[in-house]
Structures are given as C-alpha cells and as structure tokens.
Amino acid sequence: MAYYFIDGTIVSAGGSGAGTSGDPWGKTDDLLQYAVDQILAGAGAGVAGDWISITAGNLTQTAFLNLATYAPSNGRMLTINGHDGYRPTIDMGGKPFFDQKRDGIRLHNLRFFNLTNVTGEVSVHLRYHGSVSLCEFDGQNQDFESVLRCEGSINVFGCRFVNFSPPAPSANHGSLIFSGSSGGNWIKGCYFETGGGNDNYMIWSYGSFIEDCVFKYSGSGALGYAVIPIRQLRLSNCTFYRDPSAGVMYGTFFSNYQNCSMVNCYFENLTEPIYNSSYSVNGNVSTMLAGNRAYNSTNLYPSNAQYLPCPTLNYYNNDWDVSESLLIDPANGDFRPKSGLIGAGFNMQDYGFPESMSKNPITIGGINGTSTLIGQYNPFGGQ
C-alpha cells in the first residue's frame, strides 16, 4: 500500500506537488480527483490499495470523484482520511461524492457538507467492504436526499449526523443512513439528530447491527420511525429522545419484519417506542426484548399489546414506564445515564458464560461508559 499526501491550502489551478509528506499535492478545486489521477499516472493503483491523507486545509468538489479507472475493491481499498487527527471539511458542491456506488472505500475523520438534494441521488454511496469512521455529515438545515448508503459489509463507526432540520417537509428528505439489502452493516457509536420539517426515517435497515447510538428528534412533524427494519434488526444500547416541544416520534417498527431483537435501549418522550400491528403479531417477529426502559412515552406494553411484538422468545427485564427521566440533562444534549440505568441492563453473558465467571453489569442506553470519546473525536459533540 502506498501513502500519499494532499494539502487543501495550496492554491494552484492546474495542480502541483509530488504527493509526499514534504511536498504534498495541491489544487484549488477537485484536489481528490487530482490525487487519484496522479496516482494512476505514476505508480498506478496499488495492488493492496492506496492511502490519501489530507494534511491541512479544506476541499471543494465541483464534480463527483471518478474512480472508474482506479476501481477500488475489497482487496485494493482506497482510504481517504484526515491526517494525524486533522479533520478537513469537504464541500461536495451539492453533488454525490462518487461517480457511482463503490466497493473498497474507507473514509476516516472527514466532515462533509453541501450534500446533494436531487431526488434519487446519494451523497455518499458505498457498495461492499468499506468503512466510514469518525466522520461528520452536516445537512446545513437545508433540503437533502439520502446521505449515506451502505449496501453490505460496511462499518460506520463514531459518526455524527447533524443540522438535518430543513424548514418544511419535502419529498426529497431521505434517510441519514440507508443500510442496504445485502446486510451485515455495523453501525456503532453514532449520533443522529433531525428536526424542522424533516419527518423521514433516520436509518433504513436491512439486517444491520446498530449499537451504542443516540437518536434525537426536535422537528415539528411526525418522525416516521428513527429506525425502520426491513428484516432481522439487531438493536442494542441505543437512546431515543424526543424534545418535549417536538412533534410525534416513533422509535422502531417490527411488524412483518421477522427475527428482530432489541436489548438495553432507552426511550424518552416517544409516541411509540416500538410498534407492531395487532394484525400481524406472530411468534416470528421478535427473538429478544431484554433490558429496555421507557419514560414519558405512550402506547406501551402491557396496557396495549399492539405496541409490542408478542410473543417474544426471550423477554427479560423490561420496564416500559419508569417514573422519571433516567438521563442527566437530555434537553441540553447530555444523554449520560443516571443511576437507574447504570448496571441495570440485561447481560447475555449471565446465560452463556459459566456461573463461576465474573461478569460486569451492563448499562442501558447509548452512552454506557465513562467516556464517549473515540480517539480524538466524540460523535456526541465536541472534540
């Protein structure tokens, strides 16, 4: 794997530099395309891929990044990252980042804004075998289409989706993450916030693993589920919060989508934490519901069995109507757990591990450690 360096502060209409740490490539616009073209014109695409590090400055794209000749793949990944903790901003020019959905892409420590709002387009579209980590997607409170689409075997770690609060509802409002039909995506440690007139799903999920995430809604409409599972949702240690002044917020929807599980999640101020139509309740909908808590939410089990998949094969330690908020100060963005969530969760190790083994208690909700920092980046706010 070869390592190349680019600098967004260099002003050059035609491009300059050697791509080294001491003499990075620079170009006024479309610097990433220039770097890829230089790689192809020089050593060619690396057998094991290439690594492009952005050392300084920000980038502006006037067109999508064309990777037709480079053709990244599972065995030849193209990595684009902010160098040594530096997180550059990429102005996408209202266009998709890539020429088409791409395999073998790793994006790390980047900030994206000026996303596409064209119906049917995707801002960042990854097909198989890649990752998006420690990145921020800023919707600038403007109309937007689908933000991040991952078809299968993609890891999304420690990312932040903010300022997705357009002023009025629009058919163009897409999901923040569309986790595609090939499944196997892992979404972990991410923060999602929508508001304004946006009422679309935060995550479409086909067979994904979603854990340690926080979902916040402050919009004026009706959020049609924070997470909509199409099949086999695995949801654990997530927090769902609706601002008290916001419209309707639904948590997730299990109806007709088989073999779903939810463990150690927390809901506050929701209209429905979990919904399953009474017309489709059957023994295949839910495999496990354990260690979940809800406060100040309506349409709750057991008073209304329509709102819980039933029967559930593994149903343990749930309380859908706790007496007080179990978050420290969620109205001001502090989603850390109070004592009622710390160590109160369901621990599958109690069943799978030998009784003689010592196990740690599990905290409920999206923030379950003493710190949410991932490297130098905190997806829940701050550096």
Side-chain angles (χ1 to χ4, degrees):
M1 178 180 290
Y3 294 85
Y4 301 97
F5 300 86
I6 63 177
D7 184 341
T9 65
I10 297 174
V11 178
S12 173
S16 64
T20 64
S21 58
D23 185 18
W25 286 317
K27 189 173 182 291
T28 304
D29 293 323
D30 300 311
L31 177 53
L32 284 171
Q33 187 67 64
Y34 180 75
V36 170
D37 293 344
Q38 293 298 111
I39 291 171
L40 293 173
V47 174
D50 293 290
W51 193 305
I52 300 175
S53 291
I54 305 167
T55 61
N58 299 313
L59 279 62
T60 299
Q61 291 194 187
T62 64
F64 53 70
L65 180 59
N66 191 330
L67 297 176
T69 302
Y70 187 97
S73 65
N74 182 32
R76 186 173 66 198
M77 290 192 172
L78 178 63
T79 300
I80 303 172
N81 80 299
H83 180 64
D84 196 22
Y86 175 69
R87 180 155 46 102
T89 292
I90 299 178
D91 181 344
M92 296 174 58
K95 299 176 177 62
F97 191 52
F98 299 115
D99 52 340
Q100 63 181 52
K101 57 186 176 184
R102 285 295 174 188
D103 296 336
I105 295 291
R106 300 193 302 173
L107 305 174
H108 177 76
N109 202 30
L110 307 170
R111 176 178 176 266
F112 297 92
F113 84 107
N114 200 3
L115 312 175
T116 180
N117 66 354
V118 177
T119 301
E121 292 187 345
V122 180
S123 287
V124 177
H125 196 168
L126 306 182
R127 197 169 74 145
Y128 306 129
H129 310 298
S131 65
V132 184
S133 56
L134 313 195
C135 289
E136 178 179 300
F137 295 86
D138 187 342
Q140 299 176 282
N141 297 326
Q142 299 176 1
D143 202 11
F144 66 96
E145 223 341 270
S146 185
V147 177
L148 174 62
R149 180 162 179 152
C150 308
E151 299 299 342
S153 300
I154 301 293
N155 296 325
V156 183
F157 295 156
C159 291
R160 185 187 305 165
F161 298 78
V162 294
N163 299 322
F164 289 95
S165 300
S170 167
N172 281 353
H173 293 168
S175 55
L176 302 183
I177 294 181
F178 188 100
S179 184
S181 58
S182 296
N185 295 316
W186 187 11
I187 302 169
K188 180 179 176 65
C190 297
Y191 177 76
F192 304 87
E193 182 174 349
T194 63
N198 183 38
D199 55 5
N200 212 334
Y201 312 124
M202 296 184 185
I203 297 180
W204 277 85
S205 169
Y206 287 81
S208 300
F209 300 86
I210 304 173
E211 62 182 1
D212 303 329
C213 293
V214 172
F215 301 86
K216 179 183 178 181
Y217 181 64
S218 58
S220 57
L223 178 65
Y225 302 105
V227 178
I228 183 77
I230 307 303
R231 65 170 181 262
Q232 295 178 321
L233 174 69
R234 288 90 163 183
L235 193 67
S236 68
N237 284 99
C238 290
T239 294
F240 297 80
Y241 177 79
R242 180 187 70 87
D243 187 280
S245 63
V248 171
M249 179 182 183
Y250 304 95
T252 190
F253 177 71
F254 280 9
S255 181
N256 299 326
Y257 306 140
Q258 309 302 308
N259 198 28
C260 295
S261 297
M262 178 188 292
V263 180
N264 297 330
C265 291
Y266 177 77
F267 305 86
E268 185 163 323
N269 302 331
L270 267 68
T271 306
E272 293 170 3
I274 183 170
Y275 176 77
N276 184 80
S277 169
S278 59
Y279 299 106
S280 61
V281 170
N282 61 70
N284 302 316
V285 169
S286 176
T287 298
M288 176 174 287
L289 285 166
N292 301 294
R293 300 289 187 271
Y295 166 68
N296 194 35
S297 299
T298 56
N299 296 323
L300 301 169
Y301 180 87
S303 60
N304 192 335
Q306 175 177 350
Y307 296 97
L308 186 73
C310 184
T312 295
L313 188 62
N314 298 277
Y315 186 86
Y316 308 106
N317 183 24
N318 299 286
D319 188 344
W320 303 100
D321 195 16
V322 300
S323 60
E324 64 177 358
S325 172
L326 297 179
L327 302 177
I328 289 181
D329 188 11
N332 292 304
D334 192 342
F335 297 97
R336 288 177 299 164
K338 290 182 179 178
S339 59
L341 296 179
I342 297 173
F346 172 77
N347 192 344
M348 283 181 282
Q349 295 173 352
D350 292 337
Y351 297 81
F353 287 13
E355 294 182 3
S356 59
M357 291 183 65
S358 298
K359 282 88 69 177
N360 287 328
I362 302 296
T363 295
I364 297 169
I367 300 178
N368 47 41
T370 56
S371 173
T372 59
L373 287 176
I374 303 175
Q376 297 182 17
Y377 178 73
N378 178 356
F380 302 104
Q383 271 295 113

